Amino acid sequence: MNMQVIGAVFRRNFSSYFSTPTGYVFICLFVFLSSYSAFWSAEFFANNLANLDQLNIRLPWIMLVFIPAITMGIWAEERRQGTDELLLTLPAGDLDVVIGKFLSTVAIYTASLLFSMVSVGFVMWVWLGTPDWGLFLGNYFGYWLVGVAMLSIGMVASFLTSNLTVAFILGALFNFPLVAIGETGVVGGNSRWAQFVSQFSISSQFRDFGQGVISLTSISYFLMITVVSLYLCLVLMGRRHWLGGRDGHSLLGHFVVRAIALAICALALNVVLSQSDARIDVSKAGISKLSRASLDLIAKLDAKNPVVIDAYASPEVPENLVQTRITFLNMLREIQSAAGKKVIVNLHEIDALDPQAELADKSFGITPRTVQSRSASSAQTYDVFMGAAVNCGLEKATIPFLNNNAPVEYELVQAISVVSKQDRKKIGILATDADLFGGMDPQTFSNRPKSIFVTELEKQYTVEKVDATTPITGDYAVLVAVQPSTLSQPQMDNFIAAVKAGQRTAIFEDPMPMFSDVPGTAMPKQPPRNMGMMGMPQQPPTPKGDIKPLWQFLGVDWTLATGRDGKPVKTSGGMFGGGQDQNDFAVIWQDYLPYPKLKDHYAIYKEWVFIDKAVPKVKEPTFNPDDSITSGLQELLFFYPGAFERQTSVDKSGVKIKFTPLVRTGPATGTAPSIETAKAKNARNVMDAKAAADAVGSKEIPTQKQYVLAAKISRPVIAKKEVKDADSDANGSDANGSEAADKGAKETDAKGKDAKAKALGKDEKAKDDKKKAVKPTDAEVVLVADIDMVSDVFFSLRAEGEDDNHWNFDNVPFVLNIIDELAGDEQFVEIRKRKPEHPRLDRIESRTADARQQALDAVNQAEKKRDEAMDTAKDEMEKINKDFQKKLQEQQNRGELDFNSLQIAASNAQASQLATKKKFEQSQRDTDDEFKKSRDAAKREENSQIRNAQQQSKLWAILLPPIPPLLVAFFVFFGRRAREQEGVSRDRLR
């Protein structure tokens, strides 16, 4: 190639495009359409994400107008003006001319794209929200590749005609198929044929760039289109040589075959590259990146028995599910890419009325879920599909619905692990009064369902129920003990023996369970409620066993309740079953509520302990950042938890005990007696919430201490069973060795010596085995001071998703991380924590924060006013009743009332009470109506201010981007015109 010719052609075409205002007009139009497509649609603010998803959808269609405008004159104009003959007579090859012209179009397009990128990025950063710059640049790199491929196709159109209009139309028509087949409706809906064809569209190949992934397959797709198109340009430019042929015969068929062969080769190369695709996620948040654990698990799959994923996702979802949908689709694509033929993904983007919806229900039990929109402008409900069915052979796992809090990668990868039957470890769950396996309830004689906690564990492990009535000898990776204080003494002895023998154990012990009828640590067992009925004798409950040896072995000391006098609170005989007074365990409370909307909510007690990284003024971190169980967690909620601390680091035998806190409270804390707090809490059944809160608060003692709510404890122990087995093996080896030696001596001296030597070797080996057997092993225990952690509440909350309070607790990952870490199966620990955060419109949110706060204050004020009015009406009613009763009693005491008068007075009292009640009810209705009106007015004002802020942002986002190219056009174009007119007489100027 002649670089001088290429450079000359490049400069000529590039400068000619900007020699007239037309070029600048098209650039301004391109920038305007780009910003309009990115920011003007209602979906942009409804999704509340600072990304270019809306532009990604519309950009190929914008290109259908802009690209032909660049390429239409690349050769057609040369032929129209007759300058093509001059180019063809240059001492250069056809390839030099084609490359020069192509590079000029790429430069023009690149300049236009830079204007768009700078303008759109500036507007988004200043007015809307902080974008993920890696994702942003990945998008624009994809735009550039799309443009390069479409430019090469547009050049082919320009080489076919000398008419600029025809060249523009042909350029749009040639590019149209690659744009249109991305719309599956154009080629047959959601059929397999449509999905197969659509994967060759521009939008399908651009999708990776739209999610911040630089894909080798997508790059090769656009480059192959460019290469094939440039070859066609070269062929068309040289048709003067081959159209008639040297002997008068046309070579058209020959070049058509060559072009088709080149296209097939390019397609084959693209398919080959797709089988071993190299992908890089350039987004800052890694929104499309699989973790190393996921990739390792996928690598273990068997290609001969592939996993099939039928995924269902609605094309339109409310704001709170937008991020989940994006992550869901991203993860499916990444799994498909990483697994190759090992995983087959069938994606069905359908709504509730699609014919495939019935098939999804019948085949997999996946149904749409009704979700309420939280749009500021309107309230709307959606019937949303967001689930998947994972199959491998006869094994099936279903993900019915992925809510806004769901760890999408974890759900998908775990389902793949379940159906592929990868190696599973065994988990034992200790049978206590907190029966997690369901079945017949001895208290009520009713059937209880299996705990969701057990169901969740069964997805990853083999789960068994462990009865501690006999010694625990099973080979369990982890033993889970929920409220072990309810065990009887024989069961307690066997359980403690297992822990001392080195059985890795997760212990959940709670001084006051909230979501269970299980007695707290210091509370006595209650007899079955149905005993004593129907002539059955009342049987006393089984006494609790002594759990103190377990705490002594672990070197922990539980926080005990103290009264306001500072003395320990006593409870009678319930803890250890001895009938003696024992110290009551403390319930921990914390004066910290991260949800302002619930600040005056009397049903939210301070014993609801919220743990997150935002707890102020902490000396020690609330979450241990160095432990895999808690690193990366954001927020936990403990209900009426207990607390404990290290009692000693070295026990009486000199064994060192390692105590690693996992979760701590903040400093604004205190204690309350568990039994007294339980009585006050239960009183909410017979009194209003405020009175119940006051009753609970009267038991609270402030301490201002950071309490440990969960910890990992490890200490070396000697496994007695292994020592016993080693002794047996050694003794057996001694006996066998002696017998073999005697027998050998009787036969021959030589043989006897050999046999004796072998026996001695066995003796030495047995002694070595014995030494190895008595080597200390570590007892690993994770202790959590709350059994509500494993209740169905948090698992259901995760399944249902975010509620009106925007709760997003990590209780489920915390509990499952404990099991995985103890079991040594940490492949899901990091996956479970991953929740890719998409950039949000934080600038918009900050500008509308005042409006939201004003609405919240107005609602709170209206609610407070309503409560005050209700309290006043209630007090007034009570005062009227008390005054009437007092007056009646006074008259009765003075003997002024006879029996008839008493009847009349009672009738009058009843009528007065009825009238007062009606008045109270009417006052209640009036107060409620006034509250609703105030609330609705505040909400309307909030929505109005938010819409105004959005409209202003839209306006600036549309008007600002075209200004920079206009300014450049003004200075460059008119400056050039001024220089051209220098020295020209005025009478020659038009």
Side-chain angles (χ1 to χ4, degrees):
M1 290 188 295
N2 191 327
M3 298 305 299
Q4 290 184 344
V5 173
I6 293 175
V9 173
F10 169 82
R11 288 189 295 273
R12 178 176 179 274
N13 283 269
F14 182 77
S15 59
S16 65
Y17 186 83
F18 294 102
S19 62
T20 64
T22 306
Y24 299 100
V25 170
F26 271 105
I27 290 178
C28 290
L29 180 62
F30 175 73
V31 173
F32 173 79
L33 291 176
S34 298
S35 56
Y36 180 87
S37 300
F39 306 129
W40 192 260
S41 66
E43 290 85 354
F44 178 77
F45 290 99
N47 293 345
N48 195 28
L49 297 179
N51 59 26
L52 300 175
D53 283 355
Q54 305 308 313
L55 178 57
N56 295 343
I57 297 172
R58 296 169 176 81
L59 183 77
W61 299 97
I62 296 175
M63 293 291 198
L64 282 180
V65 177
F66 183 62
I67 293 299
I70 297 177
T71 60
M72 63 182 181
I74 203 71
W75 191 253
E77 183 69 11
E78 301 281 2
R79 296 181 64 184
R80 187 179 69 84
Q81 295 181 354
T83 55
D84 58 328
E85 296 294 338
L86 178 62
L87 284 174
L88 296 176
T89 57
L90 290 174
D94 293 348
L95 180 61
D96 299 331
V97 176
V98 170
I99 294 298
K101 286 185 171 294
F102 174 68
L103 291 179
S104 67
T105 61
V106 171
I108 294 168
Y109 174 68
T110 302
S112 305
L113 204 60
L114 287 174
F115 275 118
S116 173
M117 183 178 71
V118 172
S119 302
V120 170
F122 177 79
V123 167
M124 182 177 289
W125 180 57
V126 172
W127 284 93
L128 303 174
T130 305
D132 183 327
W133 293 112
L135 175 64
F136 185 84
L137 294 176
N139 282 196
Y140 268 90
F141 179 64
Y143 299 159
W144 186 79
L145 287 175
V146 170
V148 168
M150 295 181 73
L151 285 169
S152 63
I153 295 174
M155 281 184 61
V156 175
S158 185
F159 272 94
L160 291 175
T161 179
S162 59
N163 188 292
L164 293 179
T165 303
V166 174
F168 179 89
I169 295 173
L170 288 178
L173 287 176
F174 288 174
N175 279 294
F176 179 78
L178 293 178
V179 174
I181 61 176
E183 304 293 332
T184 54
V186 176
V187 288
N190 284 307
S191 65
R192 291 185 178 275
W193 166 250
Q195 293 180 3
F196 173 77
V197 173
S198 65
Q199 68 178 326
F200 296 105
S201 68
I202 285 177
S203 59
S204 178
Q205 294 294 329
F206 171 79
R207 189 178 292 118
D208 286 338
F209 299 104
Q211 302 307 323
V213 176
I214 306 300
S215 167
L216 178 61
T217 301
S218 297
I219 292 176
S220 68
Y221 168 83
F222 293 113
L223 291 183
M224 290 303 103
I225 289 178
T226 304
V227 169
V228 172
S229 298
L230 291 180
Y231 175 75
L232 290 176
C233 291
L234 190 62
V235 170
L236 291 174
M237 187 176 180
R239 60 183 171 178
R240 66 189 185 279
H241 300 301
W242 55 260
L243 189 59
R246 295 176 181 175
D247 53 0
H249 297 289
S250 174
L251 298 177
L252 177 62
H254 171 76
F255 282 103
V256 168
V257 172
R258 288 177 63 177
I260 293 175
L262 180 60
I264 293 174
C265 290
L267 180 63
L269 178 61
N270 190 252
V271 171
V272 170
L273 291 176
S274 66
Q275 299 303 313
S276 57
D277 192 15
R279 306 166 67 83
I280 301 175
D281 187 343
V282 296
S283 65
K284 182 180 178 181
I287 60 176
S288 300
K289 185 177 182 180
L290 289 175
S291 64
R292 172 48 54 187
S294 296
L295 295 173
D296 292 341
L297 187 145
I298 291 172
K300 298 177 184 177
L301 297 177
D302 184 5
K304 296 180 180 179
N305 194 19
V307 174
V308 180
I309 302 177
D310 285 280
Y312 294 85
S314 294
E316 185 178 1
V317 297
E319 176 191 338
N320 55 328
L321 282 176
V322 171
Q323 292 194 41
T324 302
R325 183 181 186 276
I326 293 174
T327 304
F328 183 39
L329 300 183
N330 288 353
M331 292 299 106
L332 288 172
R333 283 191 287 268
E334 292 303 309
I335 289 173
Q336 174 75 86
S337 176
K341 295 181 179 179
K342 297 177 181 179
V343 176
I344 300 172
V345 176
N346 300 319
L347 177 60
H348 311 276
E349 296 191 60
I350 62 174
D351 55 34
L353 300 179
D354 194 284
Q356 293 190 51
E358 184 178 359
L359 180 62
D361 185 12
K362 290 182 178 179
S363 302
F364 309 114
I366 297 176
T367 57
R369 180 170 298 184
T370 301
V371 181
Q372 181 73 35
S373 169
R374 293 199 178 96
S375 172
S377 58
S378 62
Q380 187 176 358
T381 57
Y382 295 78
D383 290 328
V384 178
F385 277 102
M386 197 73 69
V390 184
N391 298 273
C392 183
L394 299 177
E395 297 295 323
K396 181 175 74 172
T398 302
I399 306 171
F401 188 77
L402 291 166
N403 60 64
N404 53 315
N405 291 331
V408 177
E409 181 184 356
Y410 166 69
E411 294 286 353
L412 289 172
V413 173
Q414 187 194 51
I416 292 173
S417 176
V418 168
V419 300
S420 62
K421 286 188 173 180
Q422 300 197 5
D423 295 337
R424 294 190 180 193
K425 295 184 178 181
K426 187 163 60 175
I427 300 294
I429 297 183
L430 190 67
T432 65
D433 284 7
D435 188 4
L436 304 179
F437 284 87
M440 183 65 70
D441 186 351
Q443 297 284 335
T444 62
F445 295 107
S446 60
N447 282 321
R448 295 181 302 179
K450 182 187 293 185
S451 167
I452 303 178
F453 170 59
V454 175
T455 304
E456 190 73 22
L457 289 181
E458 288 175 339
K459 295 179 180 179
Q460 185 176 345
Y461 299 100
T462 300
V463 180
E464 290 184 1
K465 189 174 183 178
V466 179
D467 187 356
T469 305
T470 59
I472 300 173
T473 57
D475 184 18
Y476 301 111
V478 180
L479 180 63
V480 181
V482 180
Q483 206 68 358
S485 63
T486 60
L487 296 172
S488 65
Q489 191 59 55
Q491 293 172 328
M492 185 70 71
D493 293 339
N494 291 329
F495 170 59
I496 295 176
V499 176
K500 288 184 175 181
Q503 171 64 62
R504 294 194 165 202
T505 310
I507 300 176
F508 297 86
E509 182 65 35
D510 197 336
M512 198 184 95
M514 181 173 180
F515 299 108
S516 175
D517 293 333
V518 179
T521 307
M523 299 176 186
K525 284 190 175 185
Q526 298 297 321
R529 278 170 279 182
N530 287 340
M531 289 295 183
M533 299 175 60
M534 301 177 63
M536 299 175 62
Q538 183 77 26
Q539 298 293 331
T542 304
K544 287 184 175 182
D546 186 356
I547 200 173
K548 285 191 295 184
L550 177 61
W551 308 140
Q552 292 170 357
F553 174 76
L554 298 177
V556 298
D557 188 12
W558 282 78
T559 302
L560 301 178
T562 58
R564 295 192 179 275
D565 57 0
K567 296 181 180 180
V569 175
K570 299 287 185 176
T571 184
S572 179
M575 180 178 173
F576 305 120
Q580 302 175 353
D581 286 344
Q582 302 292 342
N583 289 332
D584 190 0
F585 278 34
V587 168
I588 304 302
W589 57 266
Q590 179 178 245
D591 191 8
Y592 173 73
L593 183 61
Y595 300 95
K597 291 170 61 177
L598 302 177
K599 185 176 181 180
D600 297 323
H601 202 294
Y602 296 122
I604 306 296
Y605 305 115
K606 288 188 287 188
E607 284 74 15
W608 289 28
V609 179
F610 294 86
I611 308 295
D612 66 20
K613 294 184 177 180
V615 174
K617 300 179 181 179
V618 294
K619 294 182 179 179
E620 300 291 341
T622 52
F623 292 107
N624 188 335
D626 301 321
D627 194 280
S628 61
I629 295 176
T630 49
S631 63
L633 298 184
Q634 300 297 320
E635 185 174 49
L636 296 177
L637 174 58
F638 289 78
F639 290 105
Y640 298 88
F644 53 88
E645 59 187 1
R646 183 205 300 263
Q647 182 182 31
T648 179
S649 59
V650 181
D651 69 1
K652 295 179 181 179
S653 61
V655 175
K656 293 184 178 180
I657 303 174
K658 184 178 180 182
F659 183 89
T660 306
L662 298 176
V663 180
R664 290 186 177 93
T665 66
T669 58
T671 64
S674 63
I675 295 180
E676 294 299 320
T677 304
K679 292 178 181 178
K681 177 181 76 73
N682 293 333
R684 65 183 176 180
N685 296 323
V686 295
M687 64 174 70
D688 60 32
K690 186 177 185 303
D694 292 340
V696 172
S698 65
K699 311 298 180 183
E700 297 170 350
I701 308 295
T703 59
Q704 308 299 315
K705 177 182 177 182
Q706 280 193 264
Y707 289 97
V708 176
L709 305 185
K712 183 192 296 182
I713 304 162
S714 61
R715 56 164 292 166
V717 299
I718 297 176
K720 294 181 179 180
K721 181 178 180 298
E722 295 182 7
V723 175
K724 183 178 180 181
D725 293 342
D727 288 336
S728 176
D729 292 342
N731 294 333
S733 297
D734 290 340
N736 292 336
S738 300
E739 183 180 352
D742 293 340
K743 184 177 179 180
K746 290 179 180 179
E747 292 178 356
T748 61
D749 291 340
K751 291 182 179 180
K753 290 179 181 180
D754 292 339
K756 193 169 184 178
K758 291 180 180 179
L760 292 174
K762 290 183 179 180
D763 291 342
E764 293 297 327
K765 185 177 184 300
K767 291 178 181 178
D768 292 339
D769 291 340
K770 183 176 179 180
K771 290 180 180 178
K772 292 179 181 179
V774 300
K775 183 179 179 180
T777 60
D778 286 340
E780 293 282 349
V781 174
V782 173
L783 179 59
V784 181
D786 187 14
I787 71 169
D788 298 310
M789 280 283 167
V790 298
S791 67
D792 289 352
V793 172
F794 293 107
F795 289 88
S796 298
L797 182 63
R798 186 183 70 158
E800 294 298 327
E802 185 180 89
D803 67 352
D804 292 336
N805 298 313
H806 299 276
W807 285 350
N808 187 14
F809 302 123
D810 291 322
N811 289 48
V812 173
F814 173 64
V815 170
L816 297 180
N817 287 350
I818 290 173
I819 306 301
D820 287 355
E821 203 276 340
L822 287 173
D825 187 7
E826 300 185 29
Q827 59 179 337
F828 294 123
V829 172
E830 294 303 321
I831 305 175
R832 198 178 288 121
K833 298 176 187 176
R834 289 199 69 214
K835 293 181 182 178
E837 288 294 329
H838 299 256
R840 303 181 68 87
L841 300 178
D842 49 11
R843 308 275 193 242
I844 294 289
E845 291 178 349
S846 63
R847 287 204 299 276
T848 58
D850 292 340
R852 298 179 192 276
Q853 187 60 45
Q854 290 173 8
L856 179 60
D857 292 342
V859 172
N860 291 338
Q861 186 67 26
E863 188 174 11
K864 184 178 180 180
K865 186 177 180 181
R866 179 191 63 177
D867 293 341
E868 290 175 350
M870 293 293 295
D871 291 341
T872 302
K874 186 177 179 180
D875 293 342
E876 182 180 352
M877 185 178 72
E878 291 178 354
K879 182 181 179 182
I880 292 174
N881 289 333
K882 287 180 180 179
D883 290 345
F884 184 84
Q885 293 294 334
K886 182 180 179 181
K887 183 178 180 181
L888 186 65
Q889 186 66 37
E890 289 176 352
Q891 292 178 351
Q892 186 177 5
N893 292 338
R894 291 195 301 266
E896 298 177 0
L897 297 177
D898 55 15
F899 180 75
N900 291 332
S901 299
L902 283 173
Q903 282 187 325
I904 295 172
S907 178
N908 291 337
Q910 186 176 5
S912 177
Q913 288 177 347
L914 182 61
T916 305
K917 182 179 180 181
K918 288 182 178 180
K919 181 181 178 181
F920 174 74
E921 291 175 348
Q922 182 61 43
S923 175
Q924 184 179 21
R925 286 192 293 269
D926 293 342
T927 305
D928 284 339
D929 290 342
E930 185 178 353
F931 167 72
K932 290 178 182 178
K933 290 179 181 179
S934 300
R935 181 193 60 190
D936 294 342
K939 193 65 177 175
R940 285 194 297 270
E941 179 64 23
E942 175 192 5
N943 292 341
S944 175
Q945 293 189 36
I946 291 175
R947 282 196 298 270
N948 290 337
Q950 291 178 351
Q951 291 297 334
Q952 291 177 7
S953 300
K954 278 185 180 182
L955 187 62
W956 286 112
I958 300 303
L959 296 180
L960 286 179
I963 293 178
L966 281 176
L967 293 176
V968 173
F970 178 81
F971 286 109
V972 173
F973 177 73
F974 291 102
R976 176 183 294 177
R977 291 292 300 271
R979 289 193 298 272
E980 290 176 352
Q981 294 175 3
E982 291 179 358
V984 180
S985 61
R986 291 185 176 273
D987 58 343
R988 297 183 59 187
L989 294 176
R990 296 181 181 180

